Each structure stands twice: as structure tokens, then as C-alpha cells.
Coordinates of all heavy atoms in Angstrom, one line a residue:
M1 N 137.5 -10.0 30.3 CA 137.4 -8.6 30.7 C 137.3 -7.8 29.4 O 138.0 -7.9 28.5 CB 138.7 -8.3 31.5 CG 138.8 -6.9 32.0 SD 140.3 -6.4 32.9 CE 141.1 -7.8 33.3
A2 N 136.3 -6.9 29.5 CA 136.1 -5.9 28.4 C 137.0 -4.7 28.6 O 137.1 -4.2 29.7 CB 134.7 -5.5 28.3
F3 N 137.6 -4.2 27.5 CA 138.6 -3.1 27.7 C 138.1 -1.8 27.0 O 138.9 -0.9 26.8 CB 139.9 -3.5 27.0 CG 140.5 -4.7 27.7 CD1 140.7 -5.9 27.0 CD2 140.9 -4.7 29.0 CE1 141.3 -7.0 27.6 CE2 141.5 -5.7 29.6 CZ 141.7 -6.9 28.9
Q4 N 136.8 -1.7 26.7 CA 136.3 -0.5 26.1 C 136.6 0.8 26.8 O 137.0 1.8 26.3 CB 134.7 -0.6 25.8 CG 134.3 -1.6 24.9 CD 134.1 -3.0 25.5 OE1 134.2 -3.1 26.7 NE2 133.8 -4.0 24.7
E5 N 136.4 0.7 28.2 CA 136.7 1.9 29.0 C 138.2 2.3 29.0 O 138.5 3.5 28.8 CB 136.2 1.6 30.4 CG 136.1 2.8 31.3 CD 135.5 2.5 32.6 OE1 134.4 1.9 32.7 OE2 136.1 2.8 33.6
I6 N 139.0 1.3 29.1 CA 140.4 1.5 29.0 C 140.8 2.0 27.6 O 141.7 2.9 27.5 CB 141.2 0.3 29.4 CG1 141.0 0.0 30.9 CG2 142.7 0.4 29.1 CD1 141.7 -1.3 31.4
E7 N 140.3 1.4 26.6 CA 140.6 1.9 25.2 C 140.2 3.4 25.1 O 141.0 4.2 24.5 CB 139.8 1.0 24.2 CG 140.2 1.5 22.8 CD 139.5 0.6 21.7 OE1 138.6 -0.2 22.1 OE2 139.8 0.7 20.6
A8 N 139.0 3.8 25.5 CA 138.6 5.2 25.4 C 139.6 6.1 26.2 O 140.0 7.1 25.7 CB 137.2 5.3 26.0
E9 N 140.0 5.6 27.4 CA 141.0 6.4 28.2 C 142.3 6.5 27.4 O 142.9 7.6 27.4 CB 141.2 5.7 29.5 CG 142.2 6.4 30.4 CD 142.4 5.7 31.7 OE1 141.5 5.1 32.3 OE2 143.6 5.7 32.2
L10 N 142.8 5.4 26.8 CA 144.0 5.4 26.1 C 143.9 6.4 24.8 O 144.9 7.1 24.5 CB 144.4 4.0 25.6 CG 144.9 3.1 26.7 CD1 145.0 1.7 26.2 CD2 146.3 3.6 27.1
R11 N 142.8 6.3 24.1 CA 142.6 7.2 23.0 C 142.6 8.7 23.4 O 143.2 9.5 22.7 CB 141.3 6.9 22.2 CG 141.4 5.6 21.5 CD 140.3 5.3 20.5 NE 140.4 4.0 20.0 CZ 141.2 3.6 19.1 NH1 142.1 4.5 18.6 NH2 141.3 2.4 18.6
E12 N 142.0 9.0 24.5 CA 142.0 10.4 25.0 C 143.4 10.8 25.4 O 143.9 11.9 25.1 CB 141.1 10.5 26.3 CG 141.0 11.9 26.8 CD 140.0 11.9 28.0 OE1 138.9 11.2 27.9 OE2 140.3 12.7 28.9
R13 N 144.1 9.9 26.1 CA 145.5 10.2 26.5 C 146.4 10.4 25.3 O 147.2 11.3 25.2 CB 146.0 9.0 27.3 CG 147.5 9.1 27.8 CD 147.6 10.1 28.9 NE 149.0 10.1 29.3 CZ 149.7 11.2 29.6 NH1 149.1 12.4 29.5 NH2 151.0 11.1 29.9
L14 N 146.2 9.6 24.2 CA 147.0 9.7 23.0 C 146.7 11.1 22.4 O 147.7 11.7 21.9 CB 146.6 8.6 22.0 CG 147.4 8.6 20.7 CD1 148.9 8.5 20.9 CD2 146.9 7.4 19.8
A15 N 145.5 11.5 22.3 CA 145.2 12.8 21.8 C 145.9 13.9 22.6 O 146.4 14.9 22.0 CB 143.7 13.0 21.7
E16 N 145.9 13.8 23.9 CA 146.6 14.8 24.7 C 148.1 14.8 24.5 O 148.7 15.9 24.4 CB 146.3 14.5 26.2 CG 144.9 14.7 26.7 CD 144.6 14.1 28.1 OE1 145.6 13.6 28.7 OE2 143.5 14.3 28.5
L17 N 148.6 13.6 24.4 CA 150.1 13.5 24.1 C 150.4 14.1 22.7 O 151.5 14.8 22.6 CB 150.5 12.1 24.2 CG 150.5 11.5 25.6 CD1 150.7 10.0 25.6 CD2 151.6 12.1 26.5
Q18 N 149.6 13.8 21.7 CA 149.9 14.3 20.4 C 149.8 15.9 20.4 O 150.6 16.5 19.7 CB 148.9 13.7 19.4 CG 149.2 12.2 19.1 CD 148.2 11.5 18.3 OE1 147.0 11.9 18.4 NE2 148.6 10.5 17.6
Q19 N 148.8 16.4 21.1 CA 148.7 17.9 21.2 C 150.0 18.4 21.9 O 150.5 19.4 21.5 CB 147.5 18.3 22.0 CG 147.3 19.8 22.0 CD 147.2 20.4 20.7 OE1 146.4 20.0 19.8 NE2 148.0 21.5 20.5
R20 N 150.4 17.8 23.0 CA 151.6 18.2 23.7 C 152.8 18.2 22.8 O 153.6 19.1 22.7 CB 151.9 17.3 24.9 CG 153.1 17.8 25.7 CD 153.6 16.9 26.7 NE 152.6 16.6 27.8 CZ 152.6 15.7 28.7 NH1 153.6 14.8 28.7 NH2 151.7 15.5 29.6
M21 N 152.9 17.1 22.0 CA 154.1 17.0 21.0 C 154.0 18.2 20.0 O 155.0 18.7 19.7 CB 154.1 15.7 20.4 CG 155.3 15.5 19.5 SD 156.9 15.6 20.3 CE 156.9 13.9 21.0
A22 N 152.8 18.5 19.5 CA 152.7 19.6 18.6 C 153.1 20.9 19.2 O 153.8 21.7 18.5 CB 151.2 19.7 18.1
N23 N 152.7 21.1 20.4 CA 153.1 22.3 21.1 C 154.6 22.4 21.3 O 155.3 23.4 21.2 CB 152.4 22.4 22.5 CG 150.9 22.7 22.4 OD1 150.4 23.1 21.3 ND2 150.2 22.4 23.4
I24 N 155.2 21.2 21.7 CA 156.7 21.2 21.8 C 157.4 21.5 20.5 O 158.3 22.3 20.5 CB 157.1 19.8 22.4 CG1 156.6 19.6 23.8 CG2 158.6 19.6 22.2 CD1 156.8 18.2 24.3
K25 N 156.9 20.9 19.4 CA 157.5 21.2 18.1 C 157.4 22.7 17.8 O 158.3 23.3 17.2 CB 156.9 20.3 17.1 CG 157.3 18.9 17.2 CD 156.7 18.0 16.1 CE 157.2 16.6 16.3 NZ 156.6 15.7 15.2
H26 N 156.2 23.2 18.1 CA 156.0 24.7 17.8 C 157.0 25.5 18.6 O 157.6 26.4 18.1 CB 154.6 25.1 18.1 CG 154.3 26.5 17.9 ND1 154.4 27.4 19.0 CD2 154.0 27.2 16.8 CE1 154.1 28.6 18.5 NE2 153.9 28.5 17.2
D27 N 157.1 25.2 19.9 CA 158.0 25.9 20.8 C 159.5 25.8 20.3 O 160.3 26.7 20.4 CB 157.9 25.5 22.2 CG 156.6 25.9 22.9 OD1 155.9 26.8 22.3 OD2 156.3 25.4 24.0
A28 N 159.8 24.6 19.8 CA 161.2 24.4 19.4 C 161.6 25.1 18.1 O 162.7 25.4 17.9 CB 161.4 22.9 19.2
S29 N 160.6 25.5 17.4 CA 160.8 26.2 16.1 C 160.8 27.7 16.2 O 161.0 28.4 15.2 CB 159.8 25.8 15.1 OG 158.5 26.2 15.4
K30 N 160.7 28.2 17.4 CA 160.7 29.7 17.6 C 162.1 30.3 17.4 O 163.1 29.6 17.6 CB 160.3 30.0 19.1 CG 158.9 29.9 19.4 CD 158.6 30.3 20.8 CE 157.1 30.1 21.1 NZ 156.8 30.6 22.5
E31 N 162.1 31.5 17.0 CA 163.4 32.2 16.7 C 163.9 32.7 18.1 O 163.2 32.9 19.0 CB 163.1 33.5 15.9 CG 162.7 33.2 14.5 CD 163.8 32.8 13.6 OE1 164.9 33.3 13.8 OE2 163.5 31.9 12.7
Y32 N 165.2 32.7 18.2 CA 165.9 33.2 19.4 C 165.9 34.7 19.4 O 166.0 35.4 18.4 CB 167.3 32.7 19.5 CG 167.4 31.3 19.8 CD1 167.9 30.4 18.9 CD2 167.1 30.8 21.1 CE1 168.0 29.0 19.1 CE2 167.1 29.4 21.3 CZ 167.6 28.5 20.4 OH 167.7 27.2 20.6
P33 N 165.7 35.3 20.6 CA 165.8 36.8 20.7 C 167.3 37.2 20.4 O 168.2 36.5 20.5 CB 165.5 37.1 22.2 CG 165.5 35.8 22.9 CD 165.5 34.7 21.9
S34 N 167.4 38.5 20.0 CA 168.8 39.0 19.7 C 169.6 39.3 20.9 O 170.9 39.2 20.8 CB 168.7 40.3 18.9 OG 168.0 41.3 19.6
D35 N 169.1 39.5 22.1 CA 169.8 39.7 23.3 C 170.5 38.4 23.7 O 169.9 37.4 23.9 CB 168.8 40.2 24.4 CG 169.6 40.4 25.7 OD1 169.7 39.5 26.5 OD2 170.0 41.6 25.9
S36 N 171.8 38.4 23.9 CA 172.6 37.2 24.2 C 172.2 36.6 25.6 O 172.2 35.4 25.7 CB 174.1 37.5 24.2 OG 174.4 38.5 25.2
A37 N 171.8 37.4 26.6 CA 171.4 36.8 27.9 C 170.1 36.1 27.7 O 169.9 35.0 28.3 CB 171.2 37.9 28.9
E38 N 169.2 36.7 26.9 CA 167.9 36.0 26.7 C 168.1 34.7 25.8 O 167.4 33.7 26.1 CB 166.9 36.9 25.9 CG 166.4 38.0 26.8 CD 165.4 38.9 26.1 OE1 164.7 38.4 25.2 OE2 165.4 40.1 26.4
Q39 N 169.1 34.8 24.9 CA 169.4 33.6 24.1 C 169.9 32.5 25.0 O 169.5 31.3 24.8 CB 170.4 33.9 23.0 CG 169.9 34.5 21.8 CD 171.0 34.6 20.7 OE1 172.1 34.1 20.9 NE2 170.7 35.4 19.7
A40 N 170.7 32.8 26.0 CA 171.3 31.8 26.9 C 170.1 31.1 27.6 O 170.1 29.9 27.8 CB 172.3 32.4 27.8
Q41 N 169.2 31.9 28.1 CA 168.1 31.4 28.9 C 167.2 30.5 28.0 O 166.8 29.4 28.4 CB 167.2 32.5 29.4 CG 166.0 32.1 30.2 CD 166.4 31.3 31.5 OE1 167.3 31.6 32.2 NE2 165.7 30.2 31.7
E42 N 167.0 30.9 26.7 CA 166.2 30.2 25.8 C 166.8 28.8 25.5 O 166.2 27.8 25.4 CB 166.0 31.0 24.5 CG 165.0 32.1 24.6 CD 163.6 31.7 24.9 OE1 163.1 30.7 24.4 OE2 162.9 32.4 25.7
R43 N 168.1 28.8 25.3 CA 168.9 27.6 25.1 C 168.8 26.6 26.2 O 168.7 25.4 26.0 CB 170.3 27.9 24.7 CG 170.4 28.6 23.3 CD 171.8 28.7 22.8 NE 171.9 29.6 21.7 CZ 171.7 29.2 20.4 NH1 171.4 28.0 20.2 NH2 171.8 30.1 19.4
E44 N 168.8 27.1 27.4 CA 168.6 26.3 28.6 C 167.2 25.7 28.6 O 167.0 24.5 28.9 CB 168.9 27.0 29.9 CG 170.3 27.3 30.2 CD 170.5 28.1 31.5 OE1 169.7 28.0 32.4 OE2 171.6 28.8 31.6
N45 N 166.3 26.5 28.3 CA 164.9 26.0 28.2 C 164.7 25.0 27.1 O 163.9 24.1 27.2 CB 163.9 27.2 27.9 CG 163.8 28.2 29.1 OD1 164.1 27.8 30.2 ND2 163.3 29.3 28.8
D46 N 165.5 25.1 26.0 CA 165.5 24.1 24.9 C 165.8 22.7 25.5 O 165.2 21.7 25.0 CB 166.4 24.5 23.8 CG 165.9 25.7 23.0 OD1 164.7 26.0 23.1 OD2 166.7 26.2 22.2
E47 N 166.8 22.6 26.4 CA 167.2 21.3 26.9 C 166.0 20.7 27.7 O 165.7 19.5 27.6 CB 168.4 21.5 27.8 CG 169.6 21.9 27.1 CD 170.8 22.1 28.1 OE1 170.8 21.6 29.2 OE2 171.8 22.8 27.6
V48 N 165.3 21.5 28.4 CA 164.1 21.0 29.1 C 163.0 20.6 28.1 O 162.4 19.5 28.3 CB 163.6 22.1 30.1 CG1 162.2 21.7 30.7 CG2 164.6 22.4 31.2
V49 N 162.8 21.4 27.1 CA 161.8 21.1 26.1 C 162.2 19.8 25.4 O 161.3 18.9 25.1 CB 161.6 22.3 25.1 CG1 160.8 21.8 23.9 CG2 161.0 23.4 25.8
D50 N 163.4 19.6 25.1 CA 163.9 18.4 24.5 C 163.6 17.2 25.3 O 163.1 16.1 24.9 CB 165.4 18.4 24.1 CG 165.7 19.3 22.9 OD1 164.8 19.6 22.2 OD2 166.9 19.6 22.8
A51 N 163.9 17.3 26.6 CA 163.6 16.2 27.5 C 162.1 15.8 27.6 O 161.8 14.7 27.6 CB 164.2 16.5 28.9
I52 N 161.3 16.9 27.7 CA 159.9 16.6 27.7 C 159.4 16.0 26.4 O 158.6 15.1 26.4 CB 159.2 18.0 28.0 CG1 159.4 18.4 29.4 CG2 157.6 17.8 27.8 CD1 159.0 19.9 29.7
G53 N 160.0 16.5 25.3 CA 159.7 15.9 24.0 C 160.0 14.4 23.9 O 159.2 13.6 23.4
H54 N 161.2 14.0 24.4 CA 161.5 12.6 24.4 C 160.6 11.8 25.3 O 160.2 10.7 24.9 CB 163.0 12.4 24.9 CG 164.0 12.9 23.9 ND1 164.2 12.4 22.7 CD2 164.9 13.9 24.0 CE1 165.1 13.0 22.0 NE2 165.6 14.0 22.8
E55 N 160.2 12.3 26.5 CA 159.3 11.6 27.4 C 157.9 11.5 26.7 O 157.3 10.4 26.8 CB 159.2 12.3 28.7 CG 160.4 12.2 29.6 CD 160.2 13.0 30.9 OE1 159.1 13.4 31.3 OE2 161.2 13.3 31.5
T56 N 157.5 12.5 26.0 CA 156.2 12.5 25.3 C 156.2 11.5 24.2 O 155.3 10.8 24.0 CB 155.9 13.9 24.8 OG1 155.8 14.8 25.9 CG2 154.5 14.0 24.1
A57 N 157.3 11.5 23.4 CA 157.4 10.5 22.3 C 157.3 9.1 22.8 O 156.7 8.2 22.2 CB 158.7 10.8 21.5
L58 N 158.0 8.8 23.9 CA 158.0 7.5 24.5 C 156.6 7.1 25.0 O 156.1 6.0 24.7 CB 158.9 7.4 25.7 CG 158.9 6.1 26.5 CD1 159.3 4.9 25.7 CD2 159.8 6.2 27.7
A59 N 155.9 8.1 25.6 CA 154.5 7.8 26.1 C 153.6 7.6 24.9 O 152.7 6.7 25.0 CB 154.0 9.0 26.9
I60 N 153.8 8.3 23.8 CA 153.0 8.1 22.6 C 153.2 6.7 22.1 O 152.2 6.0 21.7 CB 153.3 9.1 21.5 CG1 152.7 10.5 21.9 CG2 152.7 8.7 20.1 CD1 153.1 11.6 21.0
R61 N 154.4 6.2 22.0 CA 154.7 4.9 21.6 C 154.1 3.8 22.5 O 153.5 2.8 22.0 CB 156.2 4.6 21.5 CG 156.9 5.3 20.3 CD 158.3 4.9 20.1 NE 159.2 5.1 21.2 CZ 159.9 6.2 21.4 NH1 159.7 7.2 20.6 NH2 160.7 6.4 22.4
E62 N 154.1 4.0 23.8 CA 153.5 3.1 24.7 C 152.0 3.0 24.6 O 151.4 1.9 24.6 CB 153.9 3.5 26.2 CG 155.4 3.2 26.5 CD 155.7 3.7 27.9 OE1 155.0 4.5 28.5 OE2 156.8 3.3 28.4
V63 N 151.4 4.2 24.5 CA 149.9 4.2 24.4 C 149.5 3.6 23.0 O 148.5 2.8 23.0 CB 149.4 5.6 24.6 CG1 147.9 5.7 24.2 CG2 149.6 6.1 26.0
T64 N 150.2 3.9 22.0 CA 149.9 3.4 20.7 C 150.0 1.9 20.7 O 149.2 1.1 20.1 CB 150.8 4.0 19.6 OG1 150.6 5.4 19.6 CG2 150.5 3.4 18.2
A65 N 151.1 1.4 21.3 CA 151.3 -0.1 21.4 C 150.2 -0.7 22.2 O 149.7 -1.8 21.8 CB 152.6 -0.4 22.0
A66 N 149.7 -0.1 23.3 CA 148.6 -0.6 24.1 C 147.3 -0.7 23.2 O 146.6 -1.7 23.2 CB 148.4 0.2 25.3
L67 N 147.1 0.3 22.4 CA 145.9 0.3 21.5 C 146.0 -0.8 20.5 O 145.0 -1.4 20.1 CB 145.7 1.7 20.9 CG 145.2 2.8 21.8 CD1 145.4 4.2 21.2 CD2 143.8 2.6 22.2
E68 N 147.2 -1.0 20.0 CA 147.4 -2.1 19.0 C 147.2 -3.4 19.7 O 146.6 -4.3 19.0 CB 148.8 -2.0 18.4 CG 149.0 -0.8 17.5 CD 150.5 -0.6 17.1 OE1 151.4 -1.3 17.5 OE2 150.7 0.3 16.3
R69 N 147.6 -3.6 20.9 CA 147.3 -4.9 21.6 C 145.9 -5.1 21.9 O 145.4 -6.2 21.8 CB 148.1 -4.9 23.0 CG 149.6 -5.0 22.8 CD 150.4 -5.4 24.1 NE 150.1 -4.4 25.1 CZ 150.8 -3.3 25.3 NH1 151.7 -2.9 24.4 NH2 150.5 -2.5 26.3
I70 N 145.1 -4.0 22.1 CA 143.7 -4.2 22.3 C 143.1 -4.6 21.0 O 142.3 -5.5 20.9 CB 143.0 -2.8 22.7 CG1 143.4 -2.5 24.2 CG2 141.5 -2.9 22.6 CD1 143.0 -1.2 24.7
A71 N 143.5 -4.0 19.9 CA 143.0 -4.3 18.5 C 143.3 -5.8 18.1 O 142.5 -6.5 17.5 CB 143.6 -3.4 17.5
D72 N 144.5 -6.3 18.5 CA 144.9 -7.6 18.1 C 144.5 -8.7 19.1 O 144.8 -9.9 18.9 CB 146.3 -7.7 17.6 CG 147.3 -7.6 18.8 OD1 147.0 -7.8 20.0 OD2 148.5 -7.4 18.5
G73 N 143.9 -8.3 20.2 CA 143.5 -9.3 21.2 C 144.5 -9.7 22.2 O 144.3 -10.6 23.1
S74 N 145.7 -9.1 22.2 CA 146.8 -9.5 23.1 C 146.9 -8.6 24.4 O 147.7 -8.8 25.2 CB 148.1 -9.6 22.4 OG 148.5 -8.3 22.0
Y75 N 146.0 -7.6 24.4 CA 146.1 -6.6 25.6 C 145.7 -7.4 26.9 O 144.8 -8.2 26.9 CB 145.1 -5.5 25.3 CG 145.1 -4.5 26.4 CD1 146.1 -3.5 26.4 CD2 144.1 -4.4 27.4 CE1 146.2 -2.6 27.4 CE2 144.2 -3.5 28.4 CZ 145.2 -2.5 28.4 OH 145.3 -1.6 29.4
G76 N 146.4 -7.0 27.9 CA 146.1 -7.6 29.2 C 146.8 -8.9 29.5 O 146.7 -9.5 30.6
I77 N 147.7 -9.3 28.6 CA 148.5 -10.5 28.8 C 149.9 -10.1 29.0 O 150.5 -9.3 28.3 CB 148.4 -11.4 27.5 CG1 147.0 -11.8 27.2 CG2 149.2 -12.7 27.8 CD1 146.2 -12.5 28.3
C78 N 150.5 -10.6 30.1 CA 151.9 -10.3 30.5 C 152.9 -10.8 29.4 O 152.8 -11.9 29.0 CB 152.2 -10.9 31.9 SG 153.9 -10.6 32.4
E79 N 153.7 -9.9 29.0 CA 154.8 -10.3 28.1 C 155.9 -11.1 28.7 O 156.6 -11.8 28.0 CB 155.4 -9.0 27.5 CG 154.5 -8.2 26.5 CD 155.2 -7.0 26.0 OE1 156.3 -6.6 26.4 OE2 154.6 -6.4 25.0
G80 N 155.9 -11.1 30.0 CA 156.9 -11.9 30.8 C 156.5 -13.3 31.0 O 157.2 -14.3 30.6
C81 N 155.3 -13.5 31.5 CA 154.9 -14.9 31.9 C 153.7 -15.4 31.1 O 153.4 -16.6 31.2 CB 154.6 -14.9 33.4 SG 153.1 -14.0 33.9
G82 N 153.0 -14.5 30.4 CA 151.9 -15.0 29.6 C 150.6 -15.1 30.3 O 149.5 -15.4 29.8
E83 N 150.6 -14.7 31.6 CA 149.4 -14.7 32.4 C 148.7 -13.4 32.3 O 149.3 -12.4 31.9 CB 149.8 -15.0 33.9 CG 150.3 -16.3 34.2 CD 149.4 -17.4 33.9 OE1 148.2 -17.3 34.3 OE2 149.8 -18.5 33.3
P84 N 147.4 -13.3 32.7 CA 146.7 -12.0 32.6 C 147.3 -11.0 33.6 O 147.7 -11.3 34.7 CB 145.3 -12.4 33.0 CG 145.1 -13.9 32.8 CD 146.5 -14.4 33.0
I85 N 147.3 -9.8 33.1 CA 147.7 -8.6 34.0 C 146.5 -8.3 34.8 O 145.4 -8.2 34.2 CB 148.2 -7.5 33.1 CG1 149.4 -7.8 32.3 CG2 148.5 -6.2 34.0 CD1 149.9 -6.8 31.3
G86 N 146.6 -8.0 36.0 CA 145.5 -7.7 36.9 C 144.7 -6.5 36.4 O 145.3 -5.5 36.0
E87 N 143.4 -6.5 36.6 CA 142.6 -5.4 36.2 C 142.9 -4.1 36.9 O 143.0 -3.1 36.3 CB 141.1 -5.8 36.4 CG 140.1 -4.8 35.9 CD 138.7 -5.2 36.1 OE1 138.4 -6.4 36.3 OE2 137.8 -4.4 35.9
G88 N 143.3 -4.2 38.2 CA 143.6 -3.1 38.9 C 144.9 -2.4 38.4 O 145.0 -1.2 38.3
R89 N 145.9 -3.2 38.0 CA 147.1 -2.7 37.4 C 146.8 -2.0 36.1 O 147.3 -0.9 35.8 CB 148.1 -3.8 37.2 CG 149.4 -3.3 36.6 CD 150.5 -4.4 36.7 NE 151.7 -4.1 36.0 CZ 152.7 -3.2 36.3 NH1 152.5 -2.5 37.5 NH2 153.7 -3.0 35.6
L90 N 145.9 -2.6 35.3 CA 145.6 -2.0 34.0 C 144.8 -0.7 34.1 O 145.0 0.2 33.3 CB 144.8 -3.0 33.1 CG 145.7 -4.2 32.6 CD1 144.7 -5.2 31.9 CD2 146.8 -3.7 31.7
K91 N 144.0 -0.6 35.2 CA 143.3 0.7 35.4 C 144.3 1.8 35.8 O 144.1 2.9 35.4 CB 142.2 0.5 36.5 CG 141.0 -0.3 35.9 CD 139.9 -0.4 37.0 CE 138.7 -1.1 36.4 NZ 137.6 -1.2 37.3
V92 N 145.3 1.4 36.6 CA 146.2 2.4 37.0 C 147.3 2.7 36.0 O 147.7 3.9 35.8 CB 147.0 2.0 38.3 CG1 148.1 2.9 38.7 CG2 146.0 1.8 39.5
L93 N 147.7 1.7 35.3 CA 148.8 1.8 34.2 C 148.3 1.1 33.0 O 148.7 0.0 32.7 CB 150.1 1.2 34.8 CG 151.3 1.4 34.0 CD1 151.7 2.9 34.0 CD2 152.4 0.6 34.6
P94 N 147.4 1.7 32.2 CA 146.7 1.1 31.1 C 147.7 0.6 30.0 O 147.4 -0.3 29.2 CB 145.7 2.0 30.6 CG 146.1 3.3 31.2 CD 146.9 3.1 32.4
Q95 N 148.9 1.2 29.9 CA 149.9 0.8 28.9 C 150.8 -0.3 29.4 O 151.8 -0.7 28.8 CB 150.7 2.0 28.4 CG 151.6 2.6 29.4 CD 150.9 3.7 30.3 OE1 149.7 3.7 30.4 NE2 151.8 4.5 30.9
A96 N 150.5 -0.9 30.6 CA 151.4 -1.9 31.2 C 151.5 -3.1 30.3 O 150.5 -3.6 29.7 CB 150.8 -2.4 32.6
T97 N 152.7 -3.7 30.2 CA 152.9 -4.9 29.4 C 153.3 -6.1 30.2 O 153.4 -7.2 29.7 CB 154.1 -4.6 28.4 OG1 155.3 -4.3 29.1 CG2 153.8 -3.5 27.4
R98 N 153.5 -5.9 31.5 CA 153.9 -6.9 32.4 C 153.0 -6.9 33.7 O 152.6 -5.8 34.1 CB 155.3 -6.8 32.8 CG 156.3 -7.0 31.6 CD 157.7 -6.9 32.1 NE 158.6 -7.1 31.0 CZ 159.0 -8.4 30.6 NH1 158.6 -9.4 31.3 NH2 159.8 -8.5 29.6
C99 N 152.8 -8.1 34.2 CA 152.0 -8.2 35.5 C 152.9 -7.7 36.6 O 154.1 -7.4 36.4 CB 151.6 -9.6 35.7 SG 153.0 -10.8 36.1
V100 N 152.3 -7.5 37.8 CA 153.1 -7.0 38.9 C 154.3 -7.9 39.2 O 155.4 -7.4 39.5 CB 152.2 -6.9 40.2 CG1 153.0 -6.5 41.4 CG2 151.1 -5.9 39.9
N101 N 154.1 -9.2 39.2 CA 155.3 -10.1 39.5 C 156.4 -9.9 38.5 O 157.6 -9.9 38.9 CB 154.8 -11.5 39.6 CG 153.9 -11.8 40.7 OD1 153.9 -11.1 41.7 ND2 153.0 -12.8 40.5
C102 N 156.1 -9.8 37.2 CA 157.2 -9.7 36.2 C 157.7 -8.3 36.1 O 158.9 -8.2 35.6 CB 156.6 -10.2 34.9 SG 156.3 -11.9 34.8
A103 N 157.0 -7.3 36.6 CA 157.5 -6.0 36.5 C 158.6 -5.7 37.6 O 159.3 -4.7 37.4 CB 156.3 -5.0 36.7
D104 N 158.7 -6.5 38.6 CA 159.6 -6.3 39.7 C 161.0 -6.6 39.2 O 161.5 -7.2 38.5 CB 159.3 -7.2 40.9 CG 158.1 -6.7 41.6 OD1 157.8 -5.5 41.4 OD2 157.5 -7.5 42.3

């Protein structure tokens, strides 16, 4: 199975994730307003931004790992059983490391 289309999709996704992370870092570095009520709201927002940042960092690692597997020829092989991961699964979840049976 050729993975050029999936690789292109992963590269596009990685660029989007990296841009999101840059935006998150920019938002996290903003100064707080002097009004204490506004500061409280901003601090609550920071918790949400932190959670999104962690999810984004995880997604970046997963996409980067998938691209590395494509490069080294191990992409599409289940880490659990060593069998090929179904093409349909890879199209839906291109960063998948396990086949449907091992993912359960």
C-alpha cells in the first residue's frame, strides 16, 4: 500500500497543530488585566488553554511519530500483533499504531 496521500494529510495536520500550539503559547504569554474580576476569568481561561495545549502537544507527537514510521518503512504495521493495520483504519486515524483487534 502506498502512503503518499496519508503522508500529505499528516504533514498538513502537523502544520495545523504547530500553528495551534504557536497561538496557544502566544495567548499564554498575555498580560493579565488589572481588574481582579477580569483576572479571575482570565485565570479560568488559562486552565482551558493549558488543557488544549497538552492535547495539541500529544497530537503533534502522534503525527510526528506516524511520519517517522512512514519514513522508516514501519508505518501501517500493528505494534501489538505485527500484522498490517487496515487501510480503512489508517484513512480514518492515520496516526494509528494498532489494528482494530489490538486497539480493543
